[in-house]
PDB file of all heavy atoms in Angstrom:
ATOM      1  N   ALA A  78     103.220  93.672 103.566  1.00 98.00           N
ATOM      2  CA  ALA A  78     103.988  92.453 103.792  1.00 98.00           C
ATOM      3  C   ALA A  78     103.930  92.172 105.282  1.00 98.00           C
ATOM      4  O   ALA A  78     104.382  92.992 106.084  1.00 98.00           O
ATOM      5  CB  ALA A  78     105.430  92.626 103.330  1.00 98.00           C
ATOM      6  N   ASP A  79     103.342  91.045 105.648  1.00 98.00           N
ATOM      7  CA  ASP A  79     103.065  90.808 107.058  1.00 98.00           C
ATOM      8  C   ASP A  79     103.772  89.569 107.584  1.00 98.00           C
ATOM      9  O   ASP A  79     104.232  88.719 106.821  1.00 98.00           O
ATOM     10  CB  ASP A  79     101.557  90.670 107.290  1.00 98.00           C
ATOM     11  CG  ASP A  79     101.102  91.449 108.514  1.00 98.00           C
ATOM     12  OD1 ASP A  79     101.904  91.588 109.454  1.00 98.00           O
ATOM     13  OD2 ASP A  79      99.962  91.924 108.518  1.00 98.00           O
ATOM     14  N   ALA A  80     103.818  89.514 108.914  1.00 98.00           N
ATOM     15  CA  ALA A  80     104.435  88.386 109.626  1.00 98.00           C
ATOM     16  C   ALA A  80     105.868  88.161 109.155  1.00 98.00           C
ATOM     17  O   ALA A  80     106.337  87.025 109.033  1.00 98.00           O
ATOM     18  CB  ALA A  80     103.602  87.117 109.448  1.00 98.00           C
ATOM     19  N   MET A  81     106.565  89.264 108.899  1.00 97.00           N
ATOM     20  CA  MET A  81     107.960  89.184 108.497  1.00 97.00           C
ATOM     21  C   MET A  81     108.837  89.773 109.593  1.00 97.00           C
ATOM     22  O   MET A  81     108.411  89.918 110.736  1.00 97.00           O
ATOM     23  CB  MET A  81     108.139  89.861 107.142  1.00 97.00           C
ATOM     24  CG  MET A  81     107.299  89.189 106.051  1.00 97.00           C
ATOM     25  SD  MET A  81     107.715  89.700 104.386  1.00 97.00           S
ATOM     26  CE  MET A  81     109.393  89.102 104.243  1.00 97.00           C
ATOM     27  N   ASP A  82     110.060  90.123 109.272  1.00 97.00           N
ATOM     28  CA  ASP A  82     110.991  90.606 110.297  1.00 97.00           C
ATOM     29  C   ASP A  82     110.470  91.847 111.006  1.00 97.00           C
ATOM     30  O   ASP A  82     110.633  92.000 112.221  1.00 97.00           O
ATOM     31  CB  ASP A  82     112.355  90.902 109.668  1.00 97.00           C
ATOM     32  CG  ASP A  82     112.954  89.672 109.020  1.00 97.00           C
ATOM     33  OD1 ASP A  82     113.493  88.819 109.726  1.00 97.00           O
ATOM     34  OD2 ASP A  82     112.839  89.573 107.783  1.00 97.00           O
ATOM     35  N   THR A  83     109.843  92.747 110.254  1.00 98.00           N
ATOM     36  CA  THR A  83     109.378  93.997 110.839  1.00 98.00           C
ATOM     37  C   THR A  83     108.315  93.757 111.902  1.00 98.00           C
ATOM     38  O   THR A  83     108.162  94.554 112.829  1.00 98.00           O
ATOM     39  CB  THR A  83     108.844  94.937 109.744  1.00 98.00           C
ATOM     40  OG1 THR A  83     109.823  95.042 108.710  1.00 98.00           O
ATOM     41  CG2 THR A  83     108.572  96.331 110.293  1.00 98.00           C
ATOM     42  N   ALA A  84     107.566  92.668 111.782  1.00 98.00           N
ATOM     43  CA  ALA A  84     106.563  92.312 112.779  1.00 98.00           C
ATOM     44  C   ALA A  84     107.192  91.644 113.999  1.00 98.00           C
ATOM     45  O   ALA A  84     106.482  91.099 114.841  1.00 98.00           O
ATOM     46  CB  ALA A  84     105.511  91.400 112.164  1.00 98.00           C
ATOM     47  N   GLN A  85     108.507  91.705 114.103  1.00 98.00           N
ATOM     48  CA  GLN A  85     109.283  91.161 115.224  1.00 98.00           C
ATOM     49  C   GLN A  85     109.234  89.639 115.284  1.00 98.00           C
ATOM     50  O   GLN A  85     109.280  89.033 116.357  1.00 98.00           O
ATOM     51  CB  GLN A  85     108.826  91.755 116.559  1.00 98.00           C
ATOM     52  CG  GLN A  85     109.141  93.221 116.700  1.00 98.00           C
ATOM     53  CD  GLN A  85     108.690  93.756 118.045  1.00 98.00           C
ATOM     54  OE1 GLN A  85     107.835  94.622 118.115  1.00 98.00           O
ATOM     55  NE2 GLN A  85     109.258  93.219 119.120  1.00 98.00           N
ATOM     56  N   ARG A  86     109.151  89.044 114.125  1.00 95.00           N
ATOM     57  CA  ARG A  86     109.194  87.592 114.079  1.00 95.00           C
ATOM     58  C   ARG A  86     110.542  87.116 114.614  1.00 95.00           C
ATOM     59  O   ARG A  86     111.592  87.620 114.228  1.00 95.00           O
ATOM     60  CB  ARG A  86     109.001  87.140 112.638  1.00 95.00           C
ATOM     61  CG  ARG A  86     108.694  85.684 112.512  1.00 95.00           C
ATOM     62  CD  ARG A  86     108.016  85.396 111.206  1.00 95.00           C
ATOM     63  NE  ARG A  86     107.744  83.975 111.072  1.00 95.00           N
ATOM     64  CZ  ARG A  86     106.910  83.459 110.190  1.00 95.00           C
ATOM     65  NH1 ARG A  86     106.259  84.261 109.366  1.00 95.00           N
ATOM     66  NH2 ARG A  86     106.722  82.163 110.118  1.00 95.00           N
ATOM     67  N   ASN A  87     110.507  86.170 115.525  1.00 89.00           N
ATOM     68  CA  ASN A  87     111.703  85.667 116.231  1.00 89.00           C
ATOM     69  C   ASN A  87     112.295  86.694 117.190  1.00 89.00           C
ATOM     70  O   ASN A  87     113.362  86.458 117.765  1.00 89.00           O
ATOM     71  CB  ASN A  87     112.791  85.214 115.243  1.00 89.00           C
ATOM     72  CG  ASN A  87     112.348  84.044 114.397  1.00 89.00           C
ATOM     73  OD1 ASN A  87     111.803  83.071 114.922  1.00 89.00           O
ATOM     74  ND2 ASN A  87     112.574  84.126 113.104  1.00 89.00           N
ATOM     75  N   MET A  88     111.633  87.821 117.379  1.00 96.00           N
ATOM     76  CA  MET A  88     112.107  88.835 118.325  1.00 96.00           C
ATOM     77  C   MET A  88     110.921  89.394 119.116  1.00 96.00           C
ATOM     78  O   MET A  88     110.767  90.594 119.266  1.00 96.00           O
ATOM     79  CB  MET A  88     112.839  89.959 117.598  1.00 96.00           C
ATOM     80  CG  MET A  88     114.147  89.543 116.959  1.00 96.00           C
ATOM     81  SD  MET A  88     115.070  90.926 116.224  1.00 96.00           S
ATOM     82  CE  MET A  88     115.673  91.766 117.692  1.00 96.00           C
ATOM     83  N   GLY A  89     110.050  88.485 119.593  1.00 96.00           N
ATOM     84  CA  GLY A  89     108.905  88.890 120.398  1.00 96.00           C
ATOM     85  C   GLY A  89     107.582  88.377 119.888  1.00 96.00           C
ATOM     86  O   GLY A  89     106.625  88.258 120.648  1.00 96.00           O
ATOM     87  N   LEU A  90     107.487  88.098 118.588  1.00 98.00           N
ATOM     88  CA  LEU A  90     106.251  87.574 118.012  1.00 98.00           C
ATOM     89  C   LEU A  90     106.351  86.050 117.956  1.00 98.00           C
ATOM     90  O   LEU A  90     107.129  85.497 117.190  1.00 98.00           O
ATOM     91  CB  LEU A  90     106.020  88.141 116.611  1.00 98.00           C
ATOM     92  CG  LEU A  90     104.622  87.902 116.029  1.00 98.00           C
ATOM     93  CD1 LEU A  90     103.599  88.812 116.715  1.00 98.00           C
ATOM     94  CD2 LEU A  90     104.606  88.144 114.525  1.00 98.00           C
ATOM     95  N   ASP A  91     105.568  85.378 118.795  1.00 97.00           N
ATOM     96  CA  ASP A  91     105.629  83.919 118.895  1.00 97.00           C
ATOM     97  C   ASP A  91     104.820  83.265 117.778  1.00 97.00           C
ATOM     98  O   ASP A  91     104.110  83.933 117.012  1.00 97.00           O
ATOM     99  CB  ASP A  91     105.120  83.469 120.257  1.00 97.00           C
ATOM    100  CG  ASP A  91     103.730  83.998 120.549  1.00 97.00           C
ATOM    101  OD1 ASP A  91     103.609  85.178 120.966  1.00 97.00           O
ATOM    102  OD2 ASP A  91     102.760  83.250 120.352  1.00 97.00           O
ATOM    103  N   ALA A  92     104.904  81.938 117.690  1.00 97.00           N
ATOM    104  CA  ALA A  92     104.294  81.202 116.572  1.00 97.00           C
ATOM    105  C   ALA A  92     102.777  81.346 116.556  1.00 97.00           C
ATOM    106  O   ALA A  92     102.174  81.522 115.487  1.00 97.00           O
ATOM    107  CB  ALA A  92     104.689  79.735 116.644  1.00 97.00           C
ATOM    108  N   ALA A  93     102.139  81.270 117.713  1.00 97.00           N
ATOM    109  CA  ALA A  93     100.682  81.383 117.761  1.00 97.00           C
ATOM    110  C   ALA A  93     100.230  82.773 117.313  1.00 97.00           C
ATOM    111  O   ALA A  93      99.265  82.914 116.546  1.00 97.00           O
ATOM    112  CB  ALA A  93     100.174  81.080 119.164  1.00 97.00           C
ATOM    113  N   ALA A  94     100.927  83.799 117.792  1.00 98.00           N
ATOM    114  CA  ALA A  94     100.584  85.170 117.394  1.00 98.00           C
ATOM    115  C   ALA A  94     100.842  85.381 115.904  1.00 98.00           C
ATOM    116  O   ALA A  94     100.100  86.115 115.240  1.00 98.00           O
ATOM    117  CB  ALA A  94     101.391  86.168 118.218  1.00 98.00           C
TER     118      ALA A  94
END
Side-chain angles (χ1 to χ4, degrees):
D79 224 330
M81 299 192 64
D82 300 282
T83 309
Q85 292 181 243
R86 194 158 179 164
N87 296 313
M88 293 185 73
L90 192 74
D91 55 279

